[in-house]
Amino acid sequence: MGAMDYFICLVSAIVMIIGGYQFYFFVQKHHYRPAREFNTRLDDRIPFWPSWVWIDSGLYYPIILLLVFTQPSFQSFNYTAFSFLVLLAMQFAVFYFFPVRIPAHWHRYQPDGSLSLRMLAFVHRFDKYDNSIPSMHVSVATLTALHLHATLPQSLGNWLLLAFLFPLLISMSALFTKQHYVADILPGAVFGWIAYVFTNWLLS
């Protein structure tokens, strides 16, 4: 693909991300049943490190958009985009029928002069308590890593494994910024894997 092709795909990806979040925000306010809360002693032992918000916000979207520039064709981009729509449908169904929310006190902190706390407070204005399990950040990061592993040149060899550092770092940031339970992480990764495998099977 040429420069204009990648530009069109990049704009399309940004619009898809913004549009996808509208479904996420909708289901925050509309549930089939009341959202439940649960946490474990392990959740309580995980420290609150606001500085991890920069991993969550500074790494998440650039890596997703980097995926655009690894696509060899419009067809490949469309298939990749479709896999994210499949994932969105799966997440939406769980958020609607089996809603889980994090404890409200996890977000009760005072945004002082710390830039990290102020950034985290900004994020929490939109990403509130509901839609906890499975972690959408982890599922999207896992699906992105699987696509990167498939589309990056095989000549990179073991460096391709670095793609899977992405969901690991996103998982850690979700826990350290107190946006998810420990129990949210593995289902998020599994959802990303299912969307990838299902889409490949469907389009094969």
Side-chain angles (χ1 to χ4, degrees), residues 77-92:
F77 172 80
N78 288 333
Y79 286 179
T80 299
F82 181 73
S83 72
F84 283 92
L85 294 178
V86 169
L87 177 60
L88 179 63
M90 293 167 57
Q91 298 271 164
F92 186 94

Side-chain angles (χ1 to χ4, degrees), residues 34-39 99-105 129-130 132 181:
R36 297 174 297 167
E37 288 185 15
F38 64 89
N39 68 309
V100 175
R101 56 183 289 139
I102 62 170
H105 70 266
Y129 310 112
D130 295 341
S132 176
Y181 300 108

